[in-house]
Amino acid sequence: MLMKALYRPAFFLLLLLLPLAALPQKKQTKAQLEKEKKENLTRIKEANKILQQTKKQKEASIGQLHAIQEKITVQKGVIHNISREITFLDSDVKETEGIVGSLQKDLEQLKAEYAAMVYAAAKTANSYNKLMFLFASDSFNQLVRRMRYLQQYSEARRKQVAQIHKVQAALTGQLDLLESKRAQKQRLLGKQLVESKNLHSLKLQQDSVISRLSKQEDELKQEVAARQQAVRKLDQLIADMVREEIARAAREARAAGKKTSGSTNKVTLTPEAALVSTSFAGNKGRLAWPVERGFISQKFGRHNHPVLKGVVVENRGVDIQTAQGAAARAVFEGKVLTVASVPGMNNIVMVQHGDYFTVYAKLKTVHVTTGQTVKIKDAIGTVYTDNDGTTALQFQIWKNNTNMNPELWLSRKQ
């Protein structure tokens, strides 16, 4: 009974403190939060830089609106990140409060046990009582057992005092930790309030830009019409190049004596090209970004115009807004199928990856030539900056003559 009372607190203390050192899932989540926080800071800096470049040219432009919308998206992420930090901190505070309560109960029980031991020892405090206790033994063996008992009892008192000191120290540490966590929560709540005000300010900026752009309705409609015309010309160029490549591959296969399926809508692949195609497909969701820094300002598919009511625009790829002078990069190894120019889309580079094709439009300059082999992240040109100060790359992915959503193919992290 004595040994059980002695060692129970130490074991209980170990169990209490163990969760603080062994929470892999929570630690991993907190690490992810820290990573997201750094990524958000980077994205805000990039958006700020792009926004300032668009402001230099014009008071209000679609590019400026997209940059503000990107900042709003990131700002919401920042606030959400803080909310998650507060949630985890609340969990830590509750956990620490539980540990403090358990340690306080344990300390009270240790002190009560120690008081009982001191009281029992007081009854035999003098040497006469101890001798009487020993000489009252019925046998030599009982005498030895009583001597051992007195030694163990004395040792138990010393250990009990040591345990009380340890639990008191642990309790003090947990109380300090609890106070630190509560102070940290208050700081986070204050930060959340500041970031919420920043978000409100960004939304006001967005409303202001939309209001100014609404007064330029005729000009915006002309821009939409010009873009649609440019998109049609680019679509025709891509369709022609894919059709020519399908026909060329089929002719070479027949000349080599190989049987073809007779299909006129897909490229006949050599074994080498098939490997490239398979590798490209296997990297879906992991392809390198076609620019080092930037954000998707216009998504794939049909969507409403950001300012003009009732106007729907269609995007065959994604527009990636970036900084002036940014380089366009190959997202995967391949062969340059063509270098061309389309009014409204500027210079175009089309790279073949087996029966997949990537298209890089709105280039100011081109650094590659037709037939050249490129590797991942090789520079293929410089992104064009328009009169509004907006620098945006039009990026597309095709499989044979089927248009695909690039967002599903690009890696999440640039």
Side-chain angles (χ1 to χ4, degrees):
M1 187 71 176
L2 174 63
M3 302 307 291
K4 181 179 180 181
L6 177 62
Y7 291 109
R8 179 198 55 75
F11 180 70
F12 186 55
L13 177 62
L14 177 62
L15 290 178
L16 285 172
L17 296 180
L18 183 60
L20 297 180
L23 289 173
Q25 185 174 0
K26 186 175 290 186
K27 281 188 176 182
Q28 182 182 6
T29 307
K30 287 181 179 179
Q32 290 173 347
L33 281 177
E34 191 62 31
K35 181 181 177 183
E36 288 175 13
K37 187 189 298 183
K38 291 179 180 178
E39 289 177 354
N40 285 334
L41 288 174
T42 300
R43 287 179 64 184
I44 287 176
K45 288 180 181 178
E46 292 170 3
N48 277 333
K49 182 178 179 181
I50 293 170
L51 180 58
Q52 291 304 315
Q53 290 174 347
T54 58
K55 282 183 177 179
K56 288 179 182 179
Q57 302 297 325
K58 202 172 183 180
E59 283 189 7
S61 65
I62 296 296
Q64 183 180 342
L65 178 60
H66 287 151
I68 293 174
Q69 290 172 336
E70 166 69 2
K71 287 187 66 177
I72 288 174
T73 299
V74 178
Q75 192 66 26
K76 288 179 179 178
V78 168
I79 294 172
H80 180 64
N81 186 278
I82 294 174
S83 296
R84 289 175 65 189
E85 281 190 85
I86 292 174
T87 299
F88 287 125
L89 200 56
D90 280 338
S91 176
D92 286 346
V93 166
K94 289 181 181 178
E95 186 176 89
T96 306
E97 287 175 341
I99 292 174
V100 167
S102 298
L103 285 173
Q104 287 173 335
K105 290 180 181 178
D106 207 36
L107 185 60
E108 290 174 3
Q109 188 167 349
L110 280 170
K111 288 181 177 180
E113 290 172 355
Y114 182 70
M117 293 172 68
V118 171
Y119 177 77
K123 294 181 179 181
T124 57
N126 57 58
S127 300
Y128 176 76
N129 288 338
K130 290 181 180 178
L131 288 173
M132 289 296 294
F133 176 68
L134 292 174
F135 289 140
S137 303
D138 294 332
S139 64
F140 179 76
N141 287 338
Q142 190 180 45
L143 173 65
V144 172
R145 286 197 300 271
R146 289 189 176 188
M147 289 179 65
R148 288 178 179 173
Y149 172 78
L150 289 175
Q151 291 173 350
Q152 290 175 354
Y153 198 80
S154 177
E155 180 66 22
R157 286 178 59 188
R158 287 194 296 271
K159 289 184 177 180
Q160 193 79 347
V161 170
Q163 286 291 354
I164 289 173
H165 289 160
K166 287 181 180 179
V167 175
Q168 283 178 329
L171 179 58
T172 300
Q174 291 299 313
L175 287 171
D176 291 343
L177 181 62
L178 182 58
E179 184 178 352
S180 173
K181 289 182 182 295
R182 285 172 175 167
Q184 186 180 352
K185 179 180 177 180
Q186 289 303 314
R187 289 194 296 270
L188 284 173
L189 288 171
K191 185 178 179 182
Q192 187 178 47
L193 180 61
V194 171
E195 298 297 350
S196 295
K197 290 180 179 178
N198 290 339
L199 177 61
H200 179 67
S201 176
L202 283 171
K203 288 183 176 179
L204 291 178
Q205 289 182 43
Q206 176 184 244
D207 293 342
S208 175
V209 172
I210 290 175
S211 176
R212 281 178 282 168
L213 285 173
S214 298
K215 298 175 182 178
Q216 306 170 21
E217 185 174 341
D218 291 340
E219 183 180 341
L220 291 178
K221 286 182 177 179
Q222 290 175 6
E223 290 179 3
V224 170
R227 179 185 172 91
Q228 289 176 337
Q229 185 177 6
V231 167
R232 286 193 292 271
K233 291 180 179 178
L234 178 59
D235 286 348
Q236 188 60 53
L237 171 67
I238 293 171
D240 290 344
M241 294 307 303
V242 172
R243 185 170 57 252
E244 288 178 15
E245 180 58 22
I246 290 173
R248 183 203 62 78
R251 287 195 302 270
E252 289 188 358
R254 288 193 295 271
K258 297 179 181 179
K259 292 183 179 180
T260 62
S261 62
S263 174
T264 59
N265 58 4
K266 63 180 182 179
V267 177
T268 303
L269 299 176
T270 63
E272 295 79 7
L275 286 175
V276 174
S277 180
T278 301
S279 182
F280 186 92
N283 278 274
K284 185 176 183 179
R286 298 193 298 271
L287 292 180
W289 271 57
V291 291
E292 185 177 1
R293 293 285 183 267
F295 61 89
I296 293 177
S297 56
Q298 292 192 47
K299 293 181 175 292
F300 174 83
R302 293 172 60 84
H303 49 83
N304 294 326
H305 190 276
V307 177
L308 299 174
K309 294 182 179 179
V311 176
V312 177
V313 294
E314 184 171 4
N315 198 345
R316 291 287 194 173
V318 290
D319 283 26
I320 302 177
Q321 203 162 323
T322 185
Q324 291 182 17
R329 314 179 304 178
V331 300
F332 200 75
E333 64 181 67
K335 181 184 71 174
V336 178
L337 185 63
T338 187
V339 175
S341 179
V342 172
M345 287 291 175
N346 303 89
N347 294 310
I348 312 294
V349 172
M350 191 170 179
V351 181
Q352 182 178 6
H353 318 272
D355 55 358
Y356 288 90
F357 303 89
T358 53
V359 180
Y360 311 77
K362 293 188 177 180
L363 297 178
K364 179 181 180 181
T365 58
V366 175
H367 306 327
V368 294
T369 57
T370 301
Q372 179 179 336
T373 299
V374 293
K375 296 180 180 178
I376 297 174
K377 294 185 179 181
D378 277 357
I380 60 175
T382 305
V383 185
Y384 174 76
T385 301
D386 65 19
N387 294 330
D388 293 340
T390 302
T391 307
L393 175 74
Q394 162 70 195
F395 175 69
Q396 301 183 13
I397 297 180
W398 293 72
K399 181 176 184 182
N400 292 307
N401 51 17
T402 302
N403 194 204
M404 315 197 84
N405 184 356
E407 281 194 76
L408 304 178
W409 289 79
L410 298 175
S411 63
R412 180 178 176 273
K413 182 176 173 59
Q414 298 180 28

